Amino acid sequence: MKLSSEEVAQYLREYPQFFDEYAGMLADIQVPYAHDGRAIPISERQIVALRDKNHILQSKLGELIRFGEENSVINQKMHRLAVMLLTFTCLNDLLHRLNFNLREDFSIPHMALRLWNITAEDPALPEFTQTSADVHIVVESLLHPYCGPHVLDEIKDWFGESAVRLRSFAMIPLRAEQTIGLLVMGSEDPQRFYPEMGTLYLTQLGELVSAALARYRPAGQF
């Protein structure tokens, strides 16, 4: 009776004591070695398999360590940003420093911010330029930050001459009981802000900026 490969494998799984009873077979069995086509003892093949598995585990461990280090760096930057946002009492200074911090600490070369339901110390600042109903509809529809290549032409125009070079965007709604604005970051790199990327840190960034700006809502608004 000829057994199939599956039947042999199932038998060995069910009766692991087989190789205890026939220990000498382990030294005699030769198995093909894929790299050069020669046959090697099964014990040597097990060592090769363990070595390959070890390489895979080492690679995964290195990846986890790298992700951990990257997250640690981002957490430090978020902490510095939070401290900075608490430092300023003048809205104009806060907006200037926010722009500087995102550019220098987070390597965001292109940022645009539009605010409403906020008391403007200097209405001439671009952050207080009137925005259309379409922009407000987009912001109200964002339950989470948006990452991808598409934004309204009006929003793209906020970046001035740089707009034609931008290939990806992150839109972060700003809310403090009510919507108070939109923070948009742009990049020439199509993969800097892509649709499948995680948005945890972008969400936290929006919450920090929103909390800082909420101090400047008109009196009586909640």
Side-chain angles (χ1 to χ4, degrees):
M1 181 179 67
K2 183 178 180 180
L3 298 177
S4 68
S5 299
E6 291 77 10
E7 289 173 323
V8 173
Q10 182 62 31
Y11 176 85
L12 293 176
R13 280 193 291 267
E14 293 178 358
Y15 300 97
Q17 68 272 21
F18 174 84
F19 285 112
D20 289 333
E21 298 172 4
Y22 298 91
M25 291 184 60
L26 290 174
D28 297 332
I29 296 176
Q30 301 284 313
V31 296
Y33 186 47
H35 291 286
D36 56 15
R38 66 186 176 90
I40 61 175
I42 190 171
S43 57
E44 184 177 341
R45 184 66 184 87
Q46 287 177 309
I47 293 174
V48 172
L50 290 172
R51 187 182 299 122
D52 291 342
K53 185 175 182 179
N54 182 60
H55 287 160
I56 294 173
L57 291 175
Q58 288 288 342
S59 177
K60 289 183 177 180
L61 177 60
E63 187 176 11
L64 289 174
I65 292 174
R66 187 175 69 255
F67 286 156
E69 292 173 343
E70 291 174 354
N71 287 338
S72 178
V73 171
I74 295 175
N75 285 331
Q76 292 174 16
K77 292 179 179 180
M78 294 294 286
H79 175 72
R80 288 197 294 270
L81 175 64
V83 172
M84 181 277 294
L85 291 173
L86 290 171
T87 301
F88 294 97
T89 57
C90 172
L91 177 58
N92 291 4
D93 292 341
L94 186 151
L95 294 175
H96 173 77
R97 184 65 185 186
L98 174 63
N99 190 308
F100 177 85
N101 187 280
L102 292 178
R103 184 176 66 251
E104 300 299 326
D105 214 9
F106 289 86
S107 300
I108 304 294
H110 306 286
M111 184 205 88
L113 176 65
R114 292 296 183 271
L115 301 172
W116 50 90
N117 297 323
I118 292 291
T119 301
E121 296 176 359
D122 183 0
L125 289 176
E127 287 83 359
F128 296 99
T129 302
Q130 186 173 359
T131 50
S132 70
D134 289 339
V135 170
H136 287 245
I137 291 172
V138 167
V139 178
E140 293 296 342
S141 71
L142 292 176
L143 301 180
H144 308 284
Y146 161 85
C147 295
H150 305 297
V151 294
L152 293 176
D153 288 340
E154 177 183 345
I155 294 176
K156 188 177 290 187
D157 289 342
W158 297 351
F159 294 93
E161 295 179 355
S162 301
V164 296
R165 303 194 304 272
L166 302 182
R167 295 293 178 268
S168 64
F169 302 88
M171 293 195 298
I172 306 173
L174 303 178
R175 297 187 174 98
E177 302 296 334
Q178 63 180 154
T179 302
I180 58 174
L182 176 65
L183 172 62
V184 187
M185 298 179 289
S187 175
E188 289 90 347
D189 181 1
Q191 295 302 312
R192 179 65 186 274
F193 303 111
Y194 56 94
E196 296 81 14
M197 71 180 292
T199 58
L200 172 63
Y201 286 115
L202 294 178
T203 299
Q204 291 179 351
L205 173 62
E207 291 173 350
L208 285 174
V209 175
S210 296
L213 293 173
R215 295 175 292 171
Y216 303 96
R217 286 178 296 169
Q221 285 197 10
F222 300 96

